[in-house]
Amino acid sequence: QVQLVESGGGSVQAGGSLTLSCAVSGASRSRSCMAWFRQAPGEEREGVANINRDGTIRYADSVKDRFSISKDNTKNTLYLQMSSLKPEDTAIYYCALSRYPGCSLWRGDFYFSDQGTQVTVSS
């Protein structure tokens, strides 16, 4: 059974930084594409960044050059370093594990936790 537990959210001023973490358990090695998604109030959940088992990384255009995704396989932990944060980055951030081989940023391809972690950026 897949378990994903996010931490590290909080409130920051615009221009600030935060690092999110996600502890992963129960993941099959064949489905080790991982990603971060976010969902703002009234909006659909959108992909932010993914990292494949071979280390290939993809970012949404909205966060490119500001966010950095990484993983530590020894700790089964996924990270998202966020810098130059903007008010429009405000959302609940979710860690996600791919259901299938391959690696996308489409929410239908991923398992999510139930909670996520809130990130609030004030102007």
Side-chain angles (χ1 to χ4, degrees), residues 80-96:
L80 185 69
Q81 293 177 284
M82 306 183 294
S83 62
S84 302
L85 283 161
K86 304 175 181 179
E88 51 263 44
D89 295 318
T90 295
I92 299 175
Y93 283 70
Y94 296 91
C95 172

Side-chain angles (χ1 to χ4, degrees), residues 8-67:
S11 297
V12 295
Q13 299 239 326
S17 301
L18 281 173
T19 297
L20 308 182
S21 301
C22 173
V24 183
S25 60
S28 165
R29 287 193 174 199
S30 66
R31 294 194 309 232
S32 55
C33 167
M34 298 208 63
W36 287 97
F37 283 71
R38 67 186 181 185
Q39 189 166 15
E43 302 289 332
E44 293 186 342
R45 193 168 297 186
E46 64 171 356
V48 172
N50 67 20
I51 182 166
N52 209 344
R53 59 184 301 177
D54 64 358
T56 303
I57 289 172
R58 177 181 170 188
Y59 295 101
D61 288 343
S62 58
V63 305
K64 207 171 290 184
D65 299 325
R66 300 188 299 120
F67 289 12

